[in-house]
Amino acid sequence: MLRGVACLATILRAAFAQETCDCPDTRLNPVSQGGWEESQWRQVDLVLERYWNYSRSGYTTNRDESDIVLAAQQKAVDACPQRADGSTVKKATAPAASTYGEVTPRGVRQLARLLELHRGDEAAFFADLGMGTGKVVVQMYLENPRLQRVLGVELLPARAAFAKDALQEILEAGELARLRRRALLGSVLAESDTASLARAELATGSLGVTALDLKNPKKKAVTMEAADMYDADLTEVTHAYLASLTWCEGMLRRMA
């Protein structure tokens, strides 16, 4: 993610110096790979609006959930009690669980471009650590044929429950398979960089239904877990996203 940080720094310098900047406008969708991708984005936007409406908001928490966050922060601090210079890491002082935000669909597309998920012929496994209500996880899977598996991990039970409920409804309605198929077919017809992966998945006929295989989690295309991210199995993850605004120093050090 250093590339993203560098891009932001360039934007800020240009703004203050009144210079031009060639960084993408993150309020907009990135340049598409063609009409098929733009059509896919519109379809995915409709699904996100339908299944993640106001009734599935991650912006509210209760006292018990705030305590869960503080306990997890302190656990991370205790796991790395000293800095490299031998000094002690401070107790957890990050913002409370009420500090919350969501990446917009356009922002997710910019993130996918930054991670170069739109190109390459090697299968990828994406993880959203601190997924909230799970929208980023589903969107990434439906828009990027290169992603063979996606994982979302959320500490707070209420947010994780919203995510799992939305995923289950999308599965039962057939929307996950339908939109995954559209993405794969679009990639093949456009002969994009991910076309070979798309052909292989179309040949298997799975198209997201493996997300229902609860007895074999490693075969699930889409997985959402209510857990501490530090306890999650990330050994096969190739790309990950996490927002560190609410992380204390100890959590950052442990993840590093």
Side-chain angles (χ1 to χ4, degrees):
M1 298 302 293
L2 291 177
R3 180 177 167 190
V5 174
C7 184
L8 176 59
T10 302
I11 292 173
L12 291 175
R13 284 197 301 270
F16 285 110
Q18 295 183 341
E19 299 173 355
T20 59
C21 175
D22 61 359
C23 296
D25 187 339
T26 55
R27 297 169 299 177
L28 305 175
N29 280 324
V31 177
S32 73
Q33 300 178 81
W36 70 271
E37 189 170 43
E38 293 175 7
S39 175
Q40 182 72 2
W41 289 345
R42 289 192 294 269
Q43 290 286 316
V44 171
D45 284 344
L46 290 174
V47 166
L48 295 178
E49 291 174 5
R50 184 182 311 145
Y51 292 95
W52 275 273
N53 54 35
Y54 67 90
S55 66
R56 289 195 172 114
S57 171
Y59 285 91
T60 58
T61 58
N62 56 42
R63 178 66 178 272
D64 291 340
E65 290 181 323
S66 294
D67 291 341
I68 290 173
V69 171
L70 289 174
Q73 290 174 343
Q74 195 55 57
K75 179 182 176 182
V77 171
D78 293 339
C80 54
Q82 288 190 328
R83 300 186 179 90
D85 61 4
S87 59
T88 302
V89 175
K90 296 179 180 179
K91 296 294 182 181
T93 56
S98 56
T99 303
Y100 179 77
E102 296 182 352
V103 183
T104 66
R106 291 174 178 174
V108 172
R109 288 162 194 145
Q110 293 282 1
L111 175 62
R113 288 294 196 269
L114 180 65
L115 297 176
E116 298 189 335
L117 294 176
H118 63 301
R119 62 179 59 173
D121 56 4
E122 294 184 359
F125 181 179
F126 172 81
D128 183 1
L129 306 179
M131 68 172 174
T133 58
K135 286 191 289 187
V136 171
V137 177
V138 171
Q139 183 181 349
M140 279 289 197
Y141 179 69
L142 294 179
E143 295 183 352
N144 298 283
R146 186 182 170 195
L147 291 175
Q148 303 292 288
R149 293 170 60 194
V150 292
L151 165 68
V153 181
E154 173 57 41
L155 182 65
L156 298 188
R159 290 174 184 161
F162 285 152
K164 291 181 178 181
D165 288 346
L167 175 60
Q168 189 63 33
E169 289 181 14
I170 292 173
L171 284 165
E172 292 175 353
E175 293 283 43
L176 191 77
R178 180 181 72 84
L179 290 176
R180 179 67 176 179
R181 182 183 293 109
R182 287 184 95 257
L184 297 175
L185 288 172
S187 177
V188 170
L189 293 174
E191 289 294 335
S192 70
D193 286 351
T194 59
S196 60
L197 289 171
R199 287 193 189 92
E201 186 173 337
L202 284 167
T204 66
S206 59
L207 298 173
V209 294
T210 49
L212 292 171
D213 187 357
L214 301 180
K215 294 182 180 179
N216 196 341
K218 289 213 169 185
K219 287 187 176 180
K220 293 167 67 176
V222 183
T223 306
M224 295 182 176
E225 300 178 358
D228 186 327
M229 68 180 74
Y230 294 107
D231 297 329
D233 181 4
L234 306 177
T235 54
E236 297 182 13
V237 171
T238 59
H239 299 73
Y241 170 72
L242 46 91
S244 61
L245 176 63
T246 62
W247 291 24
C248 61
E249 181 186 350
M251 294 177 71
L252 292 169
R253 291 180 61 81
R254 183 177 175 189
M255 180 57 71

